[in-house]
Amino acid sequence: MTARLFVTLTLVLGSVALGELVGPRGWRLYDDAAQAVAGAAAAWVCLAAASRRTGVQRRWRLLAGVGLACWSVVRLWWVVRDIADPDRATGSIGDVGFFVLPVCMLLALLSVPYSRPRPVPTSARRDQIALIIDSVLIAGSLLALTLSAVPEHLVSWEGLRPAVVGLAAAYPIADLLLFTMVVLLLATRPGSPAGRYPMHLAGIALIGFGVSDTLRLIHLGDGPLTPLQSAGYLIGCSFVALAAVSRPALALAGTPDLMVAERDWLHLLLPYVPVTATGVVIAISTGAGHQLSPFEAYLGWLGLGLVVARQMFTIVDNTVLLDRVSEGQQRLHHQAYHDPLTGLANRALFRERLVRALDAHRHRGKPLALLFADLDDFKLINDSFGHAMGDRVLRAIAERLQGCVPSEELVARLGGDEFAVVLDRHPADAEPIGHRILAALREPFVIDGHRVGVGASIGLVVPEPGEPLSADALLRRADAAMYSSKRRGKGALARYAGVADGAPHADLPHLLAQALGRPAAAGFEVYYQPIVQLADGVTVAVEALARWTLPAAGGAVHPDVFVTVAERTGQVAAIDDFVLDQACADASRLALVFGRPIDVHVNVSAARLGQPGLEEAVHAALSRHSIPPSRLIIEITETHRIQDLPAAAAAATRLRALGPRIALDDFGSGFNALAQLHSLPVDIVKLDSTLTDVDVEPDRAGAVCRSVLAICDELNITVVAEGIETPARAAALAKLGCPLGQGYLFGQPGPLHRLKPPEIPAQPDPESIQQLTQ
């Protein structure tokens, strides 16, 4: 690019020098001919460069080429007139053809491929109009300053037609306007080198045109310009051609935020700097007794109108910006207080509404009721149909909930499969709403041709008048009532009746947290269920199971209830660690009960695999109670899908390295399947009772059992059949080759002091075994 610039300047200087040698009589013809050739060459360069580009880069080059071509045609017409009439007048009305170039340059500048950074996106047309207004405002102010500073006697256009003078004055004004646009674009618009470098060259070209046009205006009645005075035309054409063939420099890093902010302020202030300066100069001039000329007055009114128009644009911008900000705030507020999946209120909005309702209940006696709903076995839907289907079901459930509840009440999704309803109405109206929700959810959902059934258990709590309850305490009561409903068989509504009346509605999450501080003293104990050899009924292991007796909740709390509560509240690790430590402590006494050391199975939630604390707890329990590590079996109980199976496998491998063996519990149900059997380092598989009913479905269940037994035998994995309740089932499983079994047939879970070796059950006759296993 430097070489092209050097060659261009050399040609311009050579042309000027040659023109000076021609002499004054040949200046006009020489200048017109040289400018026609320069314009035609520049037009050809622009059109040729445009043919190799696309989009905006092609458009502005085409416009520049067309403008230069028209400019050259007018120059060629001047050459013809110079030959026909060497003494012709300097200007004529036919020179209006020169305006094609400024118009094309204006259109090219308006098509620049970048715009001012704005906090609110606007159309390109709006930015183009604002750019024109700012340019006219600045150019008009500079023109007014120039007219007020230039003495009147410096120029004289006596004897010339006003139209010719006005036409000659329009050229430098147009150049000033275009140059102002270039300066504004470079100063206030960040852009790539592809746009900024040609803009610099175009600015130099406009300076060249502007200088020669201004000199031509000044010497309008004095004959033709000298070659040096008209050199600006050659420079203008040459630099437009250079801009057309320029290649951008390497892309620079993104515009810093500080620089963008500075350009934004510059864009706001720059148009008003010359306007202010012009106003000050004119005020001083008129104060000194000088009268404004009509042209200066017209410029003043024009500037005032443009300032008003510019302020209108700013007002519109600010109005649009405020509207967008308001919309954004409303959108953010909605996102902050609503569930993104269902559109229901989220926990934050629910808590805020519940706190207000409690305050109104406490101080003004307004009625209040809270419904807490938990979907029954919803994880099976995700497991069977996938999470996408589960999300669609949740959205459908949300719609039904809203249809069952008056519009003025709040329905919220608290997370997962939990929903809550805040009712500002009498308790007598709350129960019918709860039953209406249950009835609505019993109706199956039809999604993509699948009929999906979903039930729910609902807890209802109504605060007593004047009772000082917090929102958290009220929610815990509703949660406890919901779990009471689940204990009754699910799909029902239970009302919180308090602790004092002995009803089974205790505040389970709170009480569980208290109990796990000192489990043994708070009703927790470990029960053991035998695992026997099916061939002879000899006990080879026991499974340790947690049990919790809570008088405040009406006695024993079902394991499904408190384990689910522990998982939801993040307390399941404390239960696992209590059972693990107690089982290791009882290992020596178990050996005394059964007459020899036996294995101990301890359940661990699959969600803990890879989490801190599990490996440390296993190592500590083994060391503290001096139990041989090989006697401990860690049963992985998967109540939720393992999200990261490789990480879980690595954690199980580390546990195995400590000495215990790994068992996969409830194989064939829920989430436990062949993928886990393949990925996890498993030593034992416990077949779920749904796969061991070979006495009920001997063909299908027997085929499944034989397949699983064959796979496990190939992988050197021991199989334990769960849920054995009859001698016939035990015998049939033994016939199939299953080595170990567990179930009520061999003994129910019981505390250590009531534990005794199970009696060997009577074996059925061989014919019935043969029928079951065929």
Side-chain angles (χ1 to χ4, degrees), residues 90-111:
T90 303
S92 67
I93 299 298
D95 296 348
V96 71
F98 285 127
F99 274 111
V100 176
L101 177 58
V103 170
C104 289
M105 293 294 288
L106 173 65
L107 296 176
L109 290 174
L110 292 177
S111 67

Side-chain angles (χ1 to χ4, degrees), residues 440-571:
L441 294 182
R442 289 190 189 104
E443 293 293 327
F445 296 88
V446 180
I447 300 177
D448 292 340
H450 299 285
R451 292 176 63 85
V452 181
V454 180
S457 298
I458 298 179
L460 168 63
V461 61
V462 179
E464 296 295 330
E467 190 175 13
L469 278 177
S470 66
D472 291 336
L474 192 68
L475 183 59
R476 285 198 300 267
R477 288 187 176 185
D479 192 53
M482 181 273 297
Y483 278 114
S484 175
S485 172
K486 285 187 180 292
R487 289 180 57 195
R488 296 176 182 178
K490 303 179 181 179
L493 182 145
R495 179 170 176 174
Y496 182 84
V499 178
D501 59 1
H505 301 344
D507 189 349
L508 286 184
H510 181 64
L511 293 175
L512 179 62
Q514 290 181 328
L516 290 177
R518 296 179 59 192
F524 269 98
E525 55 185 328
V526 176
Y527 280 27
Y528 298 95
Q529 186 175 28
I531 298 173
V532 306
Q533 294 180 156
L534 292 179
D536 53 16
V538 175
T539 300
V540 295
V542 292
E543 180 179 0
L545 302 166
R547 292 295 184 265
W548 186 25
T549 302
L550 183 65
V557 181
H558 195 279
D560 288 346
V561 174
F562 72 76
V563 170
T564 302
V565 173
E567 288 178 339
R568 289 157 58 106
T569 56
Q571 302 177 90

Side-chain angles (χ1 to χ4, degrees), residues 17 23 43 55 89 175 343 386 398 425 494 514 520 545 549 566 645 674 719-720 750:
D175 296 332
R425 56 188 60 236
Q514 290 181 328
L545 302 166
T549 302
L645 200 54
L674 291 177
V719 177
V720 179

Side-chain angles (χ1 to χ4, degrees), residues 529-534 540-543 599 601 633 635 661-668 682-689 691-692 705 708-709 712 717-724 733 737-743 746:
Q529 186 175 28
I531 298 173
V532 306
Q533 294 180 156
L534 292 179
V540 295
V542 292
E543 180 179 0
D599 298 337
H601 291 235
I633 290 89
E635 287 193 13
R661 285 171 285 169
I662 303 297
L664 196 60
D665 196 18
D666 296 330
F667 182 80
V682 175
D683 301 287
I684 299 171
V685 162
K686 301 186 73 174
L687 286 182
D688 187 72
S689 59
L691 300 182
T692 61
C705 280
V708 175
L709 288 168
C712 291
I717 294 175
T718 304
V719 177
V720 179
E722 296 180 308
I724 301 177
L733 288 167
C738 183
L740 303 177
Q742 178 182 358
F746 309 112

